[in-house]
Amino acid sequence: MRSAMRPAKPTRRLPPKKPSGTSQKEPVGVYCRVRPLSPPDQECCIEVINETTVQLHPPDGCKTNRNGEYKATQYSFKEVFGTQVTQKELFDIVSRPLVEDLIRGKNGLLFTYGVTGSGKTHTMTGSPGDGGLLPRSLSMIFNSIGDFQAKRYVFKLDEKNGMDVQNEVDALLERQKREVQPQVVHRTPLSRQRMDPEFADMINIQEHCKVEDVDEDSVYSVFVSYIEIYNNYIYDLLEEVPLDPIKPKPPQSRILREDLNHNMYVAGCTEVEVKSTEEAFDVFWKGQKRRRIANTQLNRESSRSHSVFMIKLAQAPLDADGDHVLQEREQITLSQLSLVDLAGSERTNRTRAEGNRLREAGNINQSLMTLRTCIEVLRENQLCGTNKMVPYRDSKLTHLFKNYFDGEGKVRMIVCVNPKADDYEESLQVMRFAEMTQEVEVARPVDKPICGLTPGRRYRNQAFKEELTRRLEDRGGPLNGGDAEDQAVVEILIQSFPPLPSCELLDANDDQSLPKLIEVLEKRCRIRQMMAEEFNKNVCSFRAMLQDLNGVVTAKENIAQGRMTEKDKVIASQKSEIDRLDKKIKTLEYKIDILEKTTTIYEDEKRTIQQDLENHQQKLHRQLSDKRRLEGRLQGMMNENAMKWEKECERRVAAKQLEMQNKLWVKDEKLKQLKAIVTEPKGDKPERPPREKDREPRVPVRSVSPAPTAPPVHPRHRRSHSAGTERWVDHKPPSSVETDTVMQPHVPNSIKVNVASEKALAKCHKYMLTHQQLASDGEIETKLIKGDVYKTRGGGQSVQFTDIETLRQQSPPSGGRKRRSSPSNQPPQEETTDADWTDVETRCSVAVEMRAGSNLGPGYEHHVVSKRRRP
């Protein structure tokens, strides 16, 4: 009767879309769990301050090794779990909300992070008698959906991360096909007696927690898969590889693909449908045995890969009758909970890894570094408003879970730390990463849409079946009763008839037995006829009731048909509108892609131009600073040159004045001599001085520049031209040789030093250096090098040389001036001219002429050879 009713067609649900920018966001939930010390007397570097704060202080030996970075630092988390926390308390706070979201159609990601040996695997898996987050999550899922699970193979996975729904007949055929296979793959025991004793205690959870308000009008199926990421390759831990003892086949790595909803999935990964906690954990335990672990210096069973256990929940609504699953793929809701046990970061200098262990550690650290880089870029994009590309593809781990960080589910992280002092450096980096992760926000997952069917269909259908069965029993039992029930009904009917009398005829003249038998049979026939009439009446009344009900149902069906026709028209118009909007969306998405590419190109060009502009600005700043520095240097050089040229001009003017005075003096002398000669009587001619043939003693020759007017010669000392009112530094090296010449340099008011010093230069204004060298004729030549002392900008002293005086000894010519020849050979004396022998050159055998400003130096010496008198 109910099968004849046409079910109402539910509204079509659109495929899920990416959350928009206006959706609400929530930060990544980061929790901290502190492992107990083993042994307890070790030095501890982590202290739990309160429920949300831990303090990390360096050990004693670290204070001398780090330059000033040994202050105790505090880090805040969403919640901190101390060493005494139980697995149940951790599950109730961290994992329970993720399981509730999974049953409500939302995705979730939970991963444990920390250094090696910090208790990540224990937190995720647990220990015998105290299950971890994974078995407790499985137990809660099956406790919640146990009464609403679909039969096996009603939900069927496709190869593109999607899900199809089959009717019960196809599912039954699929079950029979799997059961007749000689070797069933991934069939796990369902009873506790056949479970693996290694994990039997882990899933024996006494607290039967479940999700409230589960949709009872839907059916559910759980699929699990287990993979590991080893050396940046993905391997399926549930893959059944045929055993070949001669040539074993290595496991094949899997690749990542993107489905139609832009979600990442592992292509070709084995997904097993499970119906109980025991069956699901048995699948997990088989994969756990295949996971790669190794013994290191820090951990006896160190995980060498990242493991990911994925729980996929498929749910679909029942039809309008509440009997079967709605055969529409669009109404299927897929949600996934990923439980990730990350391998611990480690330092090779502590683990002393070599070979494969060293390569594994490098890949582990590289993938964790990529995860940290992605978190940093996400944080920078959200805080600074930038649009940098997040490098998800640099690692398989981040590429697989990029949808969660882009806004496809809730993300939770448990930071496991070991408080021992040896792990201080690693724990410090873990704390910094956790603190940064809390600042990243992900979009809050949206609720699944309502299918549009009347709620409470399942229970109403069950109530209808129970009522129908009860009424049938009241009216004669169920229609489809078994043989035992039919036999019981027949016995009741037989007992209600009058008992048959004895049918034994012992005598041929017995005329009582047969009449009694005939009477009883007639009575039974009347009872049967009455019962048949009653039955016919009941049948008629029931048929009338069914006809009335059928009329009501037909009327309602007609009304529903009319409404459905109207709804179909509305849906058709909405479909056309949706198609038009889809086309428009595709066009706009294409335009958006083009605009995004153009924006990317412009942003790259903008960054390049900004970089060039910054480089040019830096170059201009450097040029400007160089220009200012050069201007200051040139200004200083100009000032120094100006002072130098002022002194040079003063010196040249003084030299020119002296030169003119010397010329004037020479001219005056010549005029005086000429006047004396002219005024002298002719009879009294002066006689020439006598000439000696012997060699005269050596006469020192002094060459100076400039030469002053002829001062009187001191009998013992010759005053140097350097003498004056200003103080002098008389620098005479220790290697100087004393000469026995008449003229000796004498500088009063001077400081005599053997080595020039800044202290002596600071007290004086002039500087004189005595330098001796061997001349070309073998005599000692003494040079007096003079200069002016100036103060420098740096506070020091500098000397600028301005003049050189030369003292040199020289012997006279080997013979004196030759006498004149006899008077007989010479003309008469009266005919000679007085000017021929009365000038300066005829009076002195050697003369010194000082010419200031000459190209030959401050002065030069002039040796005069006496003229021979004209005959």
Side-chain angles (χ1 to χ4, degrees), residues 405-666:
F405 293 102
D406 287 343
E408 285 294 335
K410 189 177 293 185
V411 181
R412 294 289 181 266
M413 180 175 73
I414 301 177
V415 176
C416 299
V417 292
N418 194 341
K420 66 179 182 179
D422 295 338
D423 291 345
Y424 169 74
E425 297 289 341
E426 291 84 350
S427 299
L428 185 64
Q429 300 298 326
V430 169
M431 292 295 183
R432 291 175 179 173
F433 172 70
E435 187 177 35
M436 178 181 57
T437 305
Q438 294 182 96
E439 300 179 4
V440 176
E441 294 183 348
V442 295
R444 184 177 299 173
V446 296
D447 296 328
K448 65 177 183 178
I450 301 174
C451 65
L453 294 176
T454 306
R457 301 181 300 278
R458 181 192 294 270
Y459 289 128
R460 281 202 302 272
N461 184 34
Q462 292 179 359
F464 173 77
K465 288 182 178 180
E466 292 175 358
E467 181 65 20
L468 182 60
T469 303
R470 186 183 64 80
R471 290 190 179 185
L472 289 177
E473 289 178 354
D474 293 342
R475 298 177 184 274
L479 297 179
N480 297 324
D483 296 337
E485 294 180 355
D486 294 342
Q487 185 68 26
V489 171
V490 170
E491 290 179 358
I492 293 173
L493 291 176
I494 291 174
Q495 291 177 2
S496 61
F497 291 157
L500 293 174
S502 178
C503 297
E504 294 181 0
L505 296 177
L506 300 177
D507 187 6
N509 298 321
D510 189 1
D511 54 355
Q512 295 181 358
S513 299
L514 289 178
K516 289 181 180 179
L517 179 62
I518 292 172
E519 183 180 0
V520 171
L521 291 176
E522 288 177 353
K523 190 175 181 180
R524 285 192 173 192
C525 184
R526 287 194 299 268
I527 294 173
R528 182 178 181 182
Q529 186 176 1
M530 291 173 59
M531 292 178 65
E533 292 176 357
E534 182 68 21
F535 179 75
N536 291 331
K537 289 180 181 180
N538 292 333
V539 168
C540 291
S541 63
F542 185 71
R543 183 180 293 112
M545 183 180 65
L546 288 178
Q547 289 177 355
D548 295 338
L549 183 60
N550 193 15
V552 173
V553 169
T554 304
K556 290 183 178 179
E557 187 177 5
N558 293 332
I559 297 173
Q561 185 66 29
R563 292 180 180 177
M564 288 298 298
T565 304
E566 296 176 357
K567 295 292 184 181
D568 289 339
K569 293 180 181 179
V570 175
I571 290 172
S573 62
Q574 290 179 354
K575 267 188 181 178
S576 60
E577 183 67 17
I578 288 171
D579 294 337
R580 186 184 66 81
L581 292 176
D582 286 339
K583 293 180 181 179
K584 188 175 181 180
I585 287 171
K586 290 181 180 179
T587 305
L588 293 176
E589 286 179 350
Y590 177 73
K591 292 181 179 179
I592 288 171
D593 292 338
I594 295 176
L595 291 176
E596 286 180 351
K597 292 179 181 178
T598 308
T599 305
T600 305
I601 295 172
Y602 285 159
E603 286 180 353
D604 294 339
E605 293 179 354
K606 180 182 176 182
R607 283 193 292 267
T608 305
I609 293 172
Q610 286 180 351
Q611 187 68 27
D612 295 340
L613 180 60
E614 291 177 358
N615 294 335
H616 286 304
Q617 288 178 351
Q618 293 177 359
K619 188 175 180 181
L620 288 176
H621 287 313
R622 288 196 299 268
Q623 291 178 354
L624 183 60
S625 60
D626 293 342
K627 181 179 178 182
R628 291 176 180 173
R629 194 162 51 248
L630 185 60
E631 286 178 355
R633 190 181 300 171
L634 291 175
Q635 187 67 28
M637 293 175 64
M638 288 174 60
N639 295 335
E640 292 179 1
N641 289 332
M643 295 175 63
K644 180 178 178 181
W645 282 108
E646 285 179 2
K647 292 185 178 182
E648 182 68 20
C649 290
E650 292 176 358
R651 188 184 65 79
R652 289 188 181 184
V653 169
K656 196 66 176 178
Q657 289 178 356
L658 291 175
E659 183 181 0
M660 297 304 293
Q661 288 178 3
N662 290 337
K663 288 182 179 181
L664 184 60
W665 179 77
V666 172

Side-chain angles (χ1 to χ4, degrees), residues 6 52 64 275 325 339 686 852:
R6 182 175 179 178
T52 59
T64 58
K275 295 299 179 182
V325 183
L339 304 176

Side-chain angles (χ1 to χ4, degrees), residues 32-48 54-60 80-84 114-120 350 415-428 430-431:
C32 179
R33 186 179 191 183
V34 183
R35 173 182 174 171
L37 279 175
S38 178
D41 56 349
Q42 282 187 342
E43 185 181 1
C44 180
C45 65
I46 296 177
E47 179 184 359
V48 179
V54 295
Q55 181 171 331
L56 184 67
H57 52 83
D60 296 336
V80 176
F81 302 98
T83 57
Q84 303 298 326
V115 300
T116 181
S118 59
K120 301 182 297 299
R350 293 188 60 198
V415 176
C416 299
V417 292
N418 194 341
K420 66 179 182 179
D422 295 338
D423 291 345
Y424 169 74
E425 297 289 341
E426 291 84 350
S427 299
L428 185 64
V430 169
M431 292 295 183

Side-chain angles (χ1 to χ4, degrees), residues 841-855:
E841 295 180 357
T842 59
R843 292 181 181 183
C844 302
S845 60
V846 178
V848 179
E849 183 176 2
M850 312 303 294
R851 294 184 180 180
S854 174
N855 294 329

